[in-house]
């Protein structure tokens, strides 16, 4: 996987391509399901992630959270979009891979549900775009704790 790189010109197609590249690094010996994610910051920086499994199962991490935690751990707080691809390891991507509930909740912590976009892709030519609000209606966030 490439290191984080800057691209102020990144469009949706490029973001999908970065997720496909990230998927190549998936460590998924137990499920055989390889996922890649590419997270774009509001100022155009890219963070890629893959799923990382573990023999004890529970410590496994999804591709989306790998990307978010890489970004947040070096200070990023403002995000625009994430592209996600997933499917059987070694096989072409056949279906859209939607983020799990835990990853949606992590997005809720750091993203504006009305504007943050989630791209579910099959290829650089075929993807669907959703807002976080569409995939996590009535989401719970820090704002709810302060009411
Ligand atoms: N997985 C992800 O990385 N992201 C998703 O959105 C769905 C699931 C991973 C977790 C596990 O390593 C494998 O896919 C099978 O669930």
């Amino acid at each position: 996987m490439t290191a984080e790189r800057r691209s102020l010109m990144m469009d949706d197609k490029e973001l999908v391509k970065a997720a496909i590249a990230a998927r190549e690094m998936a460590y998924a010996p137990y499920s055989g399901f390889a996922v890649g994610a590419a997270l774009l910051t509001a100022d155009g920086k890219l963070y890629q992630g893959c799923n990382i499994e573990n023999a004890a199962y529970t410590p496994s991490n999804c591709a989306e959270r790998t990307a978010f935690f890489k970004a947040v751990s070096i200070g990023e707080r403002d995000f625009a979009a994430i592209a996600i691809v997933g499917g059987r390891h070694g096989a072409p991507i056949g279906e859209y891979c939607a983020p799990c509930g835990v990853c949606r909740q992590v997005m809720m912590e750091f993203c504006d549900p009305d504007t943050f976009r989630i791209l579910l892709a099959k290829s650089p030519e075929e993807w669907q775009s959703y807002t976080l609000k569409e995939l996590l209606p009535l989401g719970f966030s820090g704002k709810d704790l302060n009411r």
Side-chain angles (χ1 to χ4, degrees), residues 23 33 42-43 53 57 60 64 83 105 118 124-125 133 143:
R23 181 172 174 259
F33 193 82
D43 61 355
E53 296 185 350
Y57 292 7
S60 300
E64 298 91 323
Q105 185 62 33
I118 300 165
E125 282 71 46
K133 193 172 193 172
K143 287 180 191 153

Side-chain angles (χ1 to χ4, degrees), residues 54-134:
N54 188 283
Y57 292 7
T58 311
S60 300
N61 204 50
C62 289
E64 298 91 323
R65 275 176 289 144
T66 301
F68 264 96
F69 294 159
K70 282 170 70 178
V72 172
S73 68
I74 61 167
E76 301 290 355
R77 293 291 186 274
D78 200 359
F79 300 102
I82 190 169
I84 304 164
V85 291
R88 301 298 308 165
H89 182 72
I93 299 161
E95 298 298 330
Y96 294 114
C97 176
C100 79
V102 174
C103 289
R104 294 179 202 203
Q105 185 62 33
V106 167
M107 294 174 197
M108 190 71 197
E109 184 68 27
F110 296 106
C111 306
D112 179 340
D114 290 308
T115 60
F116 184 72
R117 295 186 311 121
I118 300 165
L119 310 179
L120 310 183
K122 289 185 186 175
S123 76
E125 282 71 46
E126 203 176 356
W127 70 88
Q128 302 173 340
S129 177
Y130 299 91
T131 63
L132 177 56
K133 193 172 193 172
E134 287 174 312

